[in-house]
Amino acid sequence: MKDDEIQAVLSRSIIEITESTVRLHKGQEYPSGILPKQGGEQYRSIRVGASSVVKGSIVGKDIIVEKAESIQLGKGVMAPGTEIQGSINSLGDIEIGTGSWIQGGLIASGDIVINPYLLNLKTPGHVLIDGGVSGRNVTIGDGVVILGPVIATEKIEISNNVTIRDHIS
């Protein structure tokens, strides 16, 4: 197989898009946001694979950002975790896995679950939300850092050692 054929195979495997779902495979870098391009696409379920990067915001129905894994990117270079360089906006629920950095807020009409910080030297364990969090029920795991307000229309559950920069309501 030639180099250009290998590149074609790899580029096809980065993301899978159907009428109802979008799946970014683990350890991948997506060059833009995952946004609807036509009517109805805002209702797709979106799954961002472990230790991936999305260079933009995400809009969909139910959105899952998988927990980071120990993925080697090159000789001696490990993936730093999962990174979303924008906000996540959901018409359903949002789940954020351990080892994630969201460089924007989280807004959901459903529930939001942010998994706890894990101290494991082999995989990234941080959870940092660089913006506000707003949903119906918001659950925040141990050690999560949120640099914005947290708002829930029904219930907020906050675990131990959580940092929230602004108010909670």
Side-chain angles (χ1 to χ4, degrees):
M1 206 179 245
K2 297 177 191 170
D3 283 344
D4 57 343
E5 291 172 328
I6 292 170
Q7 287 294 86
V9 169
L10 289 174
S11 67
R12 280 196 308 259
S13 66
I14 290 174
I15 192 165
E16 293 176 26
I17 300 174
T18 69
E19 249 181 55
S20 61
T21 62
V22 176
R23 171 132 176 92
L24 178 64
H25 293 282
K26 67 181 179 179
Q28 301 299 321
E29 182 176 313
Y30 193 65
S32 66
I34 301 174
L35 305 169
K37 294 181 178 143
Q38 61 185 9
E41 289 186 348
Q42 69 272 24
Y43 298 107
R44 297 178 299 184
S45 294
I46 299 173
R47 184 178 213 79
V48 176
S51 300
S52 292
V53 176
V54 176
K55 294 188 171 186
S57 295
I58 298 173
V59 175
K61 187 169 187 259
D62 295 317
I63 301 170
I64 296 173
V65 176
E66 295 178 352
K67 69 178 183 172
E69 293 179 8
S70 181
I71 297 175
Q72 190 166 350
L73 299 175
K75 189 174 183 178
V77 179
M78 301 302 289
T82 306
E83 184 178 337
I84 310 297
Q85 296 176 356
S87 61
I88 298 178
N89 304 288
S90 170
L91 297 171
D93 301 331
I94 297 174
E95 181 179 347
I96 304 296
T98 300
S100 298
W101 177 23
I102 313 298
Q103 297 178 21
L106 306 176
I107 299 175
S109 52
D111 298 339
I112 297 176
V113 175
I114 304 169
N115 289 302
Y117 170 88
L118 295 177
L119 183 56
N120 178 343
L121 300 178
K122 294 185 180 180
T123 61
H126 60 276
V127 180
L128 173 63
I129 312 294
D130 196 2
V133 175
S134 177
R136 180 178 54 218
N137 295 300
V138 177
T139 303
I140 303 168
D142 291 342
V144 172
V145 176
I146 299 173
L147 301 177
V150 175
I151 300 167
T153 56
E154 291 184 17
K155 180 171 88 172
I156 298 176
E157 291 181 33
I158 301 173
S159 296
N160 298 318
N161 301 316
V162 171
T163 301
I164 298 173
R165 184 169 62 186
D166 293 332
H167 70 281
I168 301 167
S169 64

